[in-house]
Amino acid sequence: MIRVAVTGAAGRMGSEVIRAVNAEPDMEVVVGVDPAHPGETLQGVVVSTDLSSAIEREHPDVMVDFTRPDAVETNVRTALAAGVHCVVGTTGIPLETLQQLAQGAPGQTCLFVAPNFAIGAVLMMRFAAQAARFLPHVEIIELHHDRKADAPSGTALRTAALIAENRPYVPEAPGCETEIASGARGALAEGVSVHSVRLPGLVAHQEVIFGGEGQTLTIRHDSIDRTSFMPGVLLAIREVGKHSGLVVGLERLMPE
Ligand code: NAP
């Protein structure tokens, strides 16, 4: 049995992770941590506020973190120092911070981070990287629920990075002579315009729109339910112990 600690246990993603893990035959949630729900029992898991003592008591093999950009760093540092592998879905952490965290980890522990655990989103990013080789003019529209803490999304930033790695040249960004409302042309990430939409009713969605002579190509992915992320999270829980150091992106655990 893989013993799993879930940080952000009471959150939208954390509660879905507890449900998914406890439905599997080869893993179980032994620790749930969430500061706003001390002592509560959520889906059979008693919620603690102190990750360090919960790790000492329950000896989890893997911590899964879906919390907040301002909380994840301390959680990861605590887990890695105790030799617990980390599967991180929380977005908004700079790459340099992840590298520093992984450097401080004991030899065989792994810090696995995925900006998006949905298989369809990983494919969207892969297809966008391919398309960028032939269609360098591209913009990203990412759409999320209105409680999301960070913008642009981790998926949009990762997509922009993949586009930057693959397109043969960076076309001159078409500005506009008169920006009547500031920010109308979006934010620039790796030279790609990114537009962030935040609305109730949305879960996690992204369109990557390429433009060429007389044509456009739109690649779109929609997570319409948080269950879409769970096969990727379960895969990461099973695989993380086979790796060490920093590993970024679900594609690193998927067959080519
Ligand atoms: P959420 O519903 O706000 O859940 C976050 C939970 O973490 C809250 O219950 C929060 O408590 C708790 N928390 C805050 N500080 C904590 C700490 N130090 N230790 C333990 N728990 C703590 O947010 P969500 O929608 O689940 O999203 C969580 C993160 O996952 C976000 O960064 C989001 O972008 C990311 N995400 C990633 C993916 C992916 O595929 N990688 C998919 C979806 C979401 P309070 O409410 O009291 O602060």
Side-chain angles (χ1 to χ4, degrees):
M1 285 297 255
I2 307 173
R3 296 170 68 78
V4 180
V6 178
T7 42
R12 286 173 287 257
M13 287 296 289
S15 35
E16 203 60 58
V17 171
I18 295 177
R19 196 170 300 120
V21 167
N22 283 342
E24 294 299 301
D26 59 336
M27 56 181 79
E28 62 177 333
V29 177
V30 295
V31 170
V33 178
D34 203 297
H37 300 262
E40 268 181 49
T41 303
L42 300 171
Q43 304 179 76
V45 178
V46 180
V47 176
S48 142
T49 54
D50 183 354
L51 176 63
S52 188
S53 57
I55 288 177
E56 235 170 78
R57 202 173 51 246
E58 298 292 345
H59 305 289
D61 303 299
V62 178
M63 178 188 80
V64 179
D65 187 290
F66 283 95
T67 57
R68 302 178 48 84
D70 56 4
V72 56
E73 200 176 321
T74 308
N75 290 343
V76 168
R77 194 169 286 118
T78 303
L80 290 177
V84 177
H85 300 293
C86 293
V87 170
V88 172
T90 306
T91 50
I93 324 161
L95 182 62
E96 307 79 64
T97 307
L98 294 172
Q99 285 163 338
Q100 280 166 11
L101 286 168
Q103 269 164 18
Q108 289 313 304
T109 38
C110 178
L111 169 55
F112 175 77
V113 185
N116 202 314
F117 279 93
I119 306 295
V122 174
L123 293 174
M124 168 190 64
M125 288 186 262
R126 190 178 282 182
F127 299 153
Q130 281 175 2
R133 292 170 54 206
F134 306 98
L135 294 166
H137 293 261
V138 52
E139 301 205 3
I140 297 172
I141 305 174
E142 56 96 342
L143 311 90
H144 283 82
H145 60 90
D146 57 345
R147 305 275 307 279
K148 185 166 175 56
D150 51 318
S153 71
T155 305
L157 293 173
R158 179 79 183 132
T159 311
L162 288 169
I163 287 168
E165 277 170 30
N166 282 279
R167 61 181 171 180
Y169 63 93
V170 182
E172 201 178 317
C176 59
E177 273 175 30
T178 314
E179 194 178 48
I180 293 162
S182 162
R185 288 288 299 120
L188 270 191
E190 308 265 0
V192 180
S193 281
V194 181
H195 311 267
S196 298
V197 178
R198 296 290 177 267
L199 285 172
L202 294 170
V203 178
H205 317 257
Q206 181 168 293
E207 272 185 26
V208 189
I209 308 175
F210 295 87
E213 278 298 313
Q215 60 182 322
T216 65
L217 168 67
T218 301
I219 304 171
R220 180 172 172 119
H221 176 260
D222 295 276
S223 274
I224 52 177
D225 191 282
R226 289 182 178 82
T227 51
S228 61
F229 303 114
M230 293 307 119
V233 173
L234 297 175
L235 174 70
I237 291 170
R238 290 192 178 100
E239 293 292 316
V240 68
K242 300 175 189 166
H243 299 261
S244 59
L246 177 64
V247 179
V248 180
L250 193 65
E251 63 278 11
R252 297 279 307 274
L253 307 182
M254 288 165 60
E256 270 304 303

